Amino acid sequence: MADERTLEAVRYLGYGRHAVDERTLALVADSFKELESCARLKSVYRIFECHFPEHGRIMIGTMNIASKNLAKNLLGCRETAVFGATLGAEVDFLLKKYSLTDMAKAVVLQACAAAYLEEYCDEIQDKLAKEKAKEGQWLRPRFSPGYGDFDIHHQQEVLRMLDAPKKIGLTMTERYMLTPTKSVTAVIGISREKADCHRKGCEECDKTDCKYRRNERDGAV
């Protein structure tokens, strides 16, 4: 049986519930081996107070955000973790190499890198969740700049708040895209109200009556 990250990579490849051929599974396995050998996993997070000066607006440290989607996600939180993680520049070099020499492998490698990054972020968030559980607190799902109505322009502030260029070598382009490309930043709500959804979030949950749930009307799916 395929492990969780293989299934995640297959999902990124667009197979859905369809059977995956052996050649693709072999490419996935080989891609993960290459990623493990070259990736330089790094992450950083900092805890900031948050409050809600008005409806649909959130202050996280000095970052002033207008976002109904994020406000809903952080409902009841007094603190947030501002988070960044990357697989490193070496993965970008690997992706570029295969995009020039083997496009089929490049496509699979892209999917595997996305799954690998997701797995790494989950590991870091699980550690934070265990620390906060000792204090009687729980985490909300990760919510990234550019998701829903959380403006991508806040990417610059997030990187500054984390000192991400210095701490983990994470920067951005003039169009607010992260570099290295296989990287992520996010806000993670910390609450004293238990909500068992900090990893996969709404997409993997069947609790349709949850007050934190994202939906198509929110513009965050």
Side-chain angles (χ1 to χ4, degrees):
M1 181 179 291
D3 59 24
E4 185 173 343
R5 71 177 178 181
T6 297
L7 294 173
E8 188 75 355
V10 167
R11 185 179 70 82
Y12 280 120
L13 286 168
Y15 278 86
R17 297 179 180 274
H18 300 292
V20 186
D21 61 272
E22 291 299 322
R23 181 176 179 276
T24 299
L25 287 175
L27 280 173
V28 167
D30 287 344
S31 294
F32 277 124
K33 288 179 182 179
E34 288 195 70
L35 287 169
E36 288 170 354
S37 68
C38 78
R40 301 293 180 265
L41 306 176
K42 294 180 181 179
S43 65
V44 61
Y45 68 82
R46 291 184 63 194
I47 307 297
F48 294 89
E49 291 185 355
C50 72
H51 64 276
F52 305 82
E54 59 185 82
H55 180 70
R57 187 171 291 277
I58 315 100
M59 290 292 299
I60 299 175
T62 59
M63 183 164 54
N64 190 336
I65 306 165
S67 170
K68 292 180 180 179
N69 298 156
L70 183 60
K72 182 179 179 182
N73 177 272
L74 297 179
L75 183 66
C77 296
R78 296 182 179 179
E79 291 183 323
T80 61
V82 177
F83 169 80
T86 183
L87 299 185
E90 292 83 354
V91 170
D92 279 6
F93 297 147
L94 187 67
L95 289 166
K96 184 175 181 179
K97 182 186 80 170
Y98 280 110
S99 71
L100 296 172
T101 60
D102 187 342
M103 186 51 70
K105 178 66 177 287
V107 170
V108 173
L109 195 64
Q110 283 277 2
C112 290
Y116 194 24
L117 178 60
E118 188 77 7
E119 180 185 62
Y120 178 54
C121 290
D122 285 343
E123 289 175 0
I124 301 303
Q125 195 165 342
D126 281 344
K127 291 178 182 178
L128 177 60
K130 289 176 182 178
E131 292 175 9
K132 289 300 176 182
K134 296 175 184 177
E135 304 171 9
Q137 298 183 91
W138 286 268
L139 303 188
R140 298 287 167 77
R142 293 188 294 273
F143 208 106
S144 296
Y147 193 85
D149 63 354
F150 184 7
D151 199 312
I152 191 68
H153 290 86
H154 288 293
Q155 195 81 274
Q156 186 171 23
E157 292 175 277
V158 168
L159 294 177
R160 177 183 53 77
M161 292 165 75
L162 293 173
D163 196 13
K166 181 178 179 180
K167 297 287 187 182
I168 61 173
L170 181 57
T171 61
M172 69 177 198
T173 69
E174 292 181 355
R175 295 186 177 183
Y176 300 91
M177 297 295 103
L178 294 174
T179 180
T181 59
K182 293 307 175 187
S183 306
V184 67
T185 62
V187 170
I188 305 169
I190 303 170
S191 173
R192 293 197 176 278
E193 183 175 342
K194 189 172 183 179
D196 294 324
C197 58
H198 74 271
R199 285 193 59 176
K200 296 301 182 183
C202 305
E203 293 79 9
E204 300 294 323
C205 180
D206 59 3
K207 186 173 173 56
T208 57
D209 61 343
C210 176
K211 63 184 176 182
Y212 308 114
R213 188 176 183 86
R214 299 188 297 269
N215 55 50
E216 293 182 4
R217 287 191 302 276
D218 293 329
V221 294

